[in-house]
Amino acid sequence: MYPSNKKKKVWREEKERLLKMTLEERRKEYIRDYVSLSTILSWKEEMKSKGQNDEENTQEAPQMKKSLSEKVSLYRGDITLLEVDAIVNAEQQVYWCHPCSSHVQPFW
């Protein structure tokens, strides 16, 4: 068996093992503290808890905006401690360089 095939087999076995575990069983295997997503308030809940009512919140908004504020959360802290399956960096920066300049600047 080639080394890459062996790695795939080991990865698949580990994936199957983890998928069979309950949340409590998986948490026992964590090597450091974690932040459960259930402890992070949604944007809407955060605004309610702070008692903030700006114009945008008091006006009747379309259903899409209401549901978005219930789905989005803002988190400040070490994102590697979040109890999630993956962390994705969706940032897309465009850089430009002036022809007469030797430095590159972000374009936004």
Side-chain angles (χ1 to χ4, degrees):
M1 184 181 290
Y2 293 108
S4 62
N5 288 342
K6 186 176 181 180
K7 287 179 184 178
K8 285 181 185 178
K9 182 179 179 187
V10 171
W11 177 81
R12 285 187 180 129
E13 289 171 359
E14 181 66 9
K15 179 182 173 184
E16 289 299 320
R17 185 183 75 83
L18 290 171
L19 287 174
K20 290 177 184 176
M21 293 175 129
T22 65
L23 183 59
E24 286 73 29
E25 290 172 334
R26 273 188 274 149
R27 285 179 173 167
K28 288 178 185 174
E29 293 198 2
Y30 293 169
I31 56 174
R32 61 185 205 173
D33 291 335
Y34 63 92
V35 176
S36 173
L37 292 182
S38 62
T39 63
I40 302 172
L41 299 176
S42 71
W43 195 349
K44 184 177 182 177
E45 294 166 336
E46 183 77 27
M47 296 304 276
K48 279 184 184 178
S49 71
K50 290 182 178 181
Q52 295 179 355
N53 256 346
D54 57 7
E55 275 185 40
E56 185 175 305
N57 290 337
T58 57
Q59 292 176 353
E60 189 61 33
Q63 184 62 31
M64 188 173 81
K65 286 188 180 180
K66 287 182 182 178
S67 65
L68 181 62
S69 69
E70 294 169 354
K71 294 177 183 178
V72 173
S73 298
L74 302 176
Y75 177 74
R76 280 195 185 159
D78 185 355
I79 62 171
T80 63
L81 294 177
L82 293 174
E83 186 179 32
V84 296
D85 293 327
I87 297 172
V88 178
N89 181 0
E91 180 180 1
Q92 184 179 27
Q93 291 185 352
V94 178
Y95 290 93
W96 63 275
C97 183
H98 191 275
C100 299
S101 174
S102 61
H103 66 279
V104 178
Q105 295 179 348
F107 180 72
W108 59 79

